[in-house]
């Protein structure tokens, strides 16, 4: 495997500068898990965000051992949720077990969209709250926090009926903050004129902070419209300062979905992610 890093921010970064940095493996989607882990170690990156599909491909137990032996901290596992699916309960219980096995403190929940042919948005949001209520005791027993991630409203129909940080908090506040929290993902919340008030409201319920950037024009399908930090229009530093002021001192994950980024060598993407993080986030 090749994990050589380009000459850049990664090569000269101190441990203190990177102490909160986490590389979400989705940012280098085509980089096999062993290479992602080796690349993070070589760059002095302390944290990694994992996804269930590549973990399953490598093997759950093997993945847990790989990350543990490398000395990396698993900052989150993506993803549970999709509560409109018929098998949502069984799948989410598996996801909780997987998070516990990997040592991931947070299981990110993407709630899912409307059921096929459905138009009852309020009802769909109630079902999300009910489902999280059913899962919460299992998560608490496993030592895993359920982290509700609101997605941009353009995804409400097909991916996530929870479309704002306020809506996520309306659900999370029904539970102990150590059991159910929220994700502040810059891509999904930057547009909201209430986001800074909602971040302050969230306080200890902030379970994860994820950063990337917003570029236009958005690609067809819009899902892959993210960019590395600094390549778009989001004031990432202001968001980071807001979550810090709310009391969040945890990992900051760089998570990017972009065909252009995915086409680049993984080590190059990691180096660019570190560069953007240092220049535009911290």
């Amino acid at each position: 495997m090749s994990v050589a890093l380009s000459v850049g921010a990664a090569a000269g970064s101190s441990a203190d500068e990177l102490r909160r940095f986490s590389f979400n493996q989705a940012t280098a989607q085509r980089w096999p898990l062993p290479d992602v882990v080796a690349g993070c170690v070589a760059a002095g990156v302390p944290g990694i965000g994992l996804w269930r599909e590549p973990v399953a491909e490598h093997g759950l137990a093997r993945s847990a051992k790989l990350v543990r032996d490398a000395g990396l901290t698993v900052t989150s596992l993506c993803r549970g949720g999709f509560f409109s699916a018929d098998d949502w309960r069984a799948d989410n219980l598996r996801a909780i077990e997987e998070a516990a096995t990997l040592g991931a403190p947070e299981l990110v929940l993407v709630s899912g969209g409307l059921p096929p042919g459905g138009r009852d948005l309020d009802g769909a949001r109630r079902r999300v709250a009910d489902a999280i209520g059913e899962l919460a005791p299992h998560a608490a027993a496993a030592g895993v926090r359920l982290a509700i991630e609101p997605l941009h409203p353009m995804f409400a129909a097909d991916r996530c009926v929870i479309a704002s940080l306020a809506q996520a908090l309306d659900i999370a506040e029904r539970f102990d903050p150590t059991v159910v929290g929220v994700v502040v993902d810059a891509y999904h919340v930057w547009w909201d004129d209430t986001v800074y008030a909602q971040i302050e409201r969230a306080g200890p319920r902030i379970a994860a902070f994820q950063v990337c950037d917003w570029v236009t024009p958005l690609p067809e399908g819009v899902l892959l419209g993210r960019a590395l930090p600094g390549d778009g229009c989001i004031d990432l530093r202001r968001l980071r300062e807001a979550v810090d002021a709310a009391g969040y001192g945890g990992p900051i994950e760089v998570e990017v979905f972009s065909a252009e980024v995915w086409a680049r060598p993984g080590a190059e993407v990691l180096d660019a992610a570190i560069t953007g993080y240092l220049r535009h986030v911290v």
Side-chain angles (χ1 to χ4, degrees), residues 105-186:
E106 324 290 349
L107 174 64
V108 175
L109 300 181
V110 176
S111 68
L114 294 169
R119 292 182 173 83
D120 183 2
L121 189 55
D122 292 338
R125 288 176 177 148
R126 287 192 297 270
R127 284 192 293 277
V128 172
D130 291 344
I132 291 172
E134 188 168 343
L135 294 173
H138 299 278
V144 173
R145 179 159 53 169
L146 303 175
I148 307 168
E149 181 174 12
L151 266 58
H152 191 283
M154 65 184 171
F155 296 111
D158 62 341
R159 286 188 177 271
C160 190
V161 295
I162 306 301
S164 70
L165 191 54
Q167 291 170 3
L169 284 167
D170 287 345
I171 296 173
E173 286 173 346
R174 306 177 192 185
F175 305 93
D176 187 304
T178 64
V179 178
V180 179
V182 297
V183 180
V184 179
D185 184 324

Side-chain angles (χ1 to χ4, degrees), residues 20 106 145 165-166 168-170 172-173 175-178 180-184 194-209 239-250:
R20 296 177 68 186
E106 324 290 349
R145 179 159 53 169
L165 191 54
L169 284 167
D170 287 345
E173 286 173 346
F175 305 93
D176 187 304
T178 64
V180 179
V182 297
V183 180
V184 179
T194 73
V195 67
Y196 295 102
Q198 297 302 326
I199 288 173
E200 183 179 7
R201 171 189 170 192
R205 297 183 186 280
I206 300 175
F209 178 45
L239 284 169
R240 193 268 304 160
E241 290 171 346
V243 298
D244 286 0
Y248 180 77

Side-chain angles (χ1 to χ4, degrees), residues 2-3 5 23 25 28-33 35-36 39-40 265-267 270:
S2 174
V3 296
L5 291 168
F23 188 67
Q25 71 174 132
Q29 191 186 61
R30 299 174 187 173
W31 218 10
L33 181 58
D35 288 5
V36 177
C40 286
L270 175 58

Side-chain angles (χ1 to χ4, degrees), residues 34-155:
D35 288 5
V36 177
V37 169
C40 286
V41 171
V45 168
I48 186 170
L50 297 176
W51 278 69
R52 294 177 66 196
E53 293 82 0
V55 163
E57 182 178 339
H58 189 70
L60 178 61
R62 289 180 65 209
S63 297
K65 185 178 187 302
L66 175 69
V67 175
R68 183 174 61 250
D69 290 351
L72 294 178
T73 297
V74 180
T75 53
S76 71
L77 178 65
C78 287
R79 61 198 174 190
F82 288 90
F83 299 118
S84 57
D86 292 338
D87 65 343
W88 69 265
R89 188 179 187 279
D91 186 62
N92 278 274
L93 291 176
R94 284 193 299 271
I96 291 169
E97 292 177 1
E98 291 164 14
T101 299
L102 293 164
E106 324 290 349
L107 174 64
V108 175
L109 300 181
V110 176
S111 68
L114 294 169
R119 292 182 173 83
D120 183 2
L121 189 55
D122 292 338
R125 288 176 177 148
R126 287 192 297 270
R127 284 192 293 277
V128 172
D130 291 344
I132 291 172
E134 188 168 343
L135 294 173
H138 299 278
V144 173
R145 179 159 53 169
L146 303 175
I148 307 168
E149 181 174 12
L151 266 58
H152 191 283
M154 65 184 171
F155 296 111

